[in-house]
Amino acid sequence: FKSVTFEDSLFKNCVFEDITSLNTYFRNCTFLNTTFYNTDLEQYKFVDSELINCTFFHIRTGCQISFDDDYSAYWIYFVNFLGTLAVLPGNIVSALLMDRIGRLTMLG
């Protein structure tokens, strides 16, 4: 979940498994017979919520990756694209040389 807020919801006989949540909160929600397995849903994410007969197994803690805005992910791909583009002239030159002088000579 990324930046999701559940309000006045009822979760009955649910299983939350392998969930990573970023800025996700449950406000005024009720959980009945719910199991949380391998999630990072901690107590502070349940605001004014009621947990009835719920079990928590293997709670994840630690730093979660968060981008302040979506442009951060864009820049990661753009820099990779520029790196790939920088190799292109060398690939073209090596292909022309291979045709001109031969593959065995290029290996030598």
Side-chain angles (χ1 to χ4, degrees):
F1 299 133
K2 181 179 178 184
S3 299
V4 178
T5 302
F6 294 96
E7 293 183 2
D8 301 322
S9 301
L10 171 66
F11 297 93
K12 185 176 180 181
N13 298 326
C14 295
V15 176
F16 290 88
E17 185 174 354
D18 294 326
I19 292 178
T20 302
S21 62
L22 181 65
N23 295 328
T24 298
Y25 296 98
F26 297 91
R27 286 187 169 79
N28 220 4
C29 295
T30 304
F31 295 88
L32 295 171
N33 302 325
T34 302
T35 303
F36 298 91
Y37 181 77
N38 198 24
T39 65
D40 66 347
L41 298 173
E42 296 183 25
Q43 191 63 36
Y44 72 91
K45 296 189 177 192
F46 300 100
V47 180
D48 296 330
S49 294
E50 189 175 0
L51 299 161
I52 301 169
N53 198 19
C54 295
T55 53
F56 290 83
F57 297 108
H58 303 287
I59 302 300
R60 277 192 252 164
T61 58
C63 179
Q64 302 293 329
I65 294 175
S66 64
F67 295 113
D68 293 331
D69 52 6
D70 290 336
Y71 295 112
S72 297
Y74 165 78
W75 283 109
I76 292 170
Y77 291 111
F78 184 69
V79 168
N80 279 332
F81 173 73
L82 289 179
T84 305
L85 205 59
V87 177
L88 188 62
N91 288 342
I92 292 172
V93 169
S94 67
L96 292 174
L97 280 175
M98 214 181 294
D99 286 341
R100 175 78 75 195
I101 63 174
R103 293 171 192 229
L104 293 175
T105 309
M106 282 288 289
L107 284 175

